[in-house]
Coordinates of all heavy atoms in Angstrom, one line a residue:
H17 N 70.5 29.4 66.2 CA 69.1 29.7 66.3 C 68.9 30.9 67.2 O 69.4 30.9 68.3 CB 68.4 28.5 66.9 CG 66.9 28.7 67.1 ND1 66.0 28.7 66.0 CD2 66.2 28.9 68.2 CE1 64.8 28.8 66.5 NE2 64.9 29.0 67.8
P19 N 65.8 33.2 68.3 CA 64.4 33.6 68.3 C 64.2 34.9 69.0 O 63.2 35.0 69.7 CB 63.8 32.4 69.1 CG 64.8 32.0 70.1 CD 66.2 32.2 69.4
D31 N 67.9 52.5 51.3 CA 67.1 51.9 50.3 C 65.6 52.3 50.6 O 64.9 51.6 51.3 CB 67.2 50.4 50.3 CG 66.3 49.8 49.3 OD1 65.7 50.5 48.4 OD2 66.2 48.5 49.3
A36 N 59.9 47.2 47.0 CA 58.6 47.7 46.4 C 58.4 47.1 45.0 O 57.3 47.0 44.5 CB 58.6 49.2 46.3
R39 N 55.6 44.6 44.1 CA 54.1 44.9 44.2 C 53.5 44.4 42.9 O 54.0 44.4 41.8 CB 53.9 46.4 44.3 CG 54.3 46.9 45.7 CD 53.9 48.3 45.9 NE 54.1 48.7 47.3 CZ 55.2 49.2 47.7 NH1 56.2 49.3 46.9 NH2 55.3 49.6 49.0
E43 N 50.1 36.4 39.8 CA 49.8 35.9 38.5 C 50.2 36.9 37.4 O 50.2 36.5 36.2 CB 48.3 35.5 38.4 CG 47.4 36.7 38.7 CD 47.0 36.6 40.2 OE1 47.8 36.1 41.0 OE2 45.9 37.1 40.5
P46 N 55.9 37.8 35.0 CA 56.2 37.1 33.7 C 56.4 35.6 34.0 O 56.9 35.2 35.1 CB 57.5 37.8 33.3 CG 58.1 38.4 34.5 CD 56.9 38.8 35.3
V89 N 69.0 29.1 50.1 CA 68.6 30.4 49.5 C 69.3 31.6 50.1 O 69.4 32.6 49.4 CB 67.1 30.5 49.6 CG1 66.6 31.7 48.8 CG2 66.3 29.3 49.2
V94 N 63.6 32.7 58.5 CA 62.6 31.7 58.1 C 61.9 31.2 59.3 O 62.5 31.1 60.4 CB 63.3 30.5 57.4 CG1 62.2 29.5 56.9 CG2 64.2 30.9 56.3
T114 N 69.5 34.8 60.4 CA 70.9 35.0 60.2 C 71.4 36.4 60.4 O 72.5 36.7 60.2 CB 71.3 34.6 58.7 OG1 70.6 35.5 57.8 CG2 70.9 33.1 58.4
S133 N 42.1 33.0 56.4 CA 41.1 33.0 55.4 C 41.6 33.4 54.0 O 41.3 32.9 53.0 CB 39.9 33.8 55.8 OG 39.3 33.3 56.9
L135 N 44.9 33.2 53.1 CA 45.7 32.2 52.6 C 44.9 31.1 51.9 O 45.3 30.6 50.8 CB 46.6 31.6 53.7 CG 47.7 32.4 54.3 CD1 48.5 31.6 55.3 CD2 48.6 33.0 53.2
Q137 N 42.1 31.3 50.5 CA 41.5 31.8 49.3 C 42.5 31.9 48.2 O 42.3 31.5 47.0 CB 40.8 33.1 49.5 CG 40.2 33.7 48.2 CD 39.6 35.1 48.5 OE1 39.7 35.6 49.6 NE2 38.9 35.7 47.5
A144 N 55.1 39.6 50.3 CA 54.7 40.5 51.4 C 54.0 41.7 50.9 O 53.0 42.2 51.4 CB 55.9 40.9 52.2
E150 N 44.7 45.4 55.5 CA 43.9 44.9 56.6 C 44.5 43.5 57.1 O 44.4 43.2 58.3 CB 42.4 44.7 56.3 CG 42.1 43.7 55.2 CD 42.1 44.4 53.8 OE1 42.7 45.5 53.7 OE2 41.5 43.9 52.9
E154 N 47.2 41.9 61.0 CA 47.3 40.6 61.7 C 48.6 39.9 61.5 O 49.1 39.2 62.4 CB 46.2 39.6 61.2 CG 44.8 40.1 61.5 CD 43.7 39.1 61.1 OE1 44.1 37.9 60.7 OE2 42.5 39.4 61.1
I161 N 58.3 36.4 51.5 CA 57.2 35.6 50.8 C 56.6 34.6 51.7 O 57.3 34.1 52.6 CB 57.8 34.9 49.5 CG1 56.7 34.3 48.7 CG2 58.9 33.9 49.9 CD1 57.2 33.8 47.3
M177 N 59.3 33.2 54.6 CA 60.7 33.4 54.2 C 61.0 34.9 54.0 O 60.3 35.6 53.3 CB 61.0 32.7 52.8 CG 60.8 31.2 52.9 SD 60.9 30.3 51.3 CE 62.5 30.9 50.7
A184 N 68.9 40.5 46.5 CA 68.3 40.2 45.2 C 66.8 39.9 45.4 O 66.4 39.4 46.5 CB 69.0 39.0 44.6
M185 N 66.0 40.1 44.3 CA 64.6 39.8 44.4 C 64.3 38.3 44.1 O 65.1 37.7 43.4 CB 63.9 40.7 43.3 CG 64.1 42.2 43.5 SD 63.4 42.7 45.1 CE 63.8 44.5 45.0
L197 N 58.1 22.8 46.3 CA 58.4 22.6 47.7 C 57.2 22.6 48.6 O 57.1 21.7 49.5 CB 59.4 23.7 48.2 CG 59.9 23.7 49.6 CD1 60.7 22.4 49.9 CD2 60.7 24.9 50.0
G202 N 53.6 19.6 52.3 CA 52.3 19.2 52.7 C 52.2 17.7 52.8 O 51.7 17.1 53.8

Side-chain angles (χ1 to χ4, degrees):
H17 178 76
D31 177 12
R39 288 186 174 87
E43 58 266 27
V89 188
V94 184
T114 61
S133 297
L135 288 186
Q137 180 182 3
E150 62 270 19
E154 295 185 9
I161 188 169
M177 298 171 55
M185 302 298 180
L197 177 64

